[in-house]
Amino acid sequence: LSRLRLSSRVTRLEVPLFLVAGAADQLSPITALRRFYEGVDATQGKTLVVLDAHGHWPLLEATERVIGLLAARVKPLATPETRPSPAR
């Protein structure tokens, strides 16, 4: 992440930003992600969740927890137009 230099390339987002990272990530240190998170202006809000006991692949290491976090974040955004229609 630090080699991508996202902090200087992405300074503003017009969509919600939701990041999940592992605190023990050795490939993409959390410091680089925090720097990006703190520097970006996300006009629709931003959230950073750091999972203490996990590394580079939190979705694989803590699948149910990450899916729960995503579901909790996305569900309130649903509108009648985006909800699936009942099965017939």
Side-chain angles (χ1 to χ4, degrees):
L1 185 64
S2 57
R3 284 181 273 155
L4 294 175
R5 294 188 175 92
L6 285 178
S7 297
S8 62
R9 297 167 85 188
V10 178
T11 57
R12 183 175 170 91
L13 295 171
E14 300 290 334
V15 296
L17 175 64
F18 184 78
L19 302 169
V20 178
D25 189 337
Q26 307 249 335
L27 295 173
S28 298
I30 194 67
T31 54
L33 184 62
R34 284 188 196 280
R35 189 169 36 254
F36 167 72
Y37 176 80
E38 291 168 4
V40 71
D41 176 18
T43 62
Q44 300 293 314
K46 60 184 181 178
T47 303
L48 171 61
V49 178
V50 179
L51 303 180
D52 290 333
H54 302 286
H56 190 67
W57 298 105
L59 181 58
L60 299 177
E61 299 166 12
T63 303
E64 289 184 24
R65 182 162 181 209
V66 172
I67 290 173
L69 289 166
L70 289 170
R73 180 71 172 109
V74 172
K75 191 173 182 179
L77 302 175
T79 64
E81 296 80 29
T82 62
R83 290 188 187 108
S85 56
R88 295 178 186 192

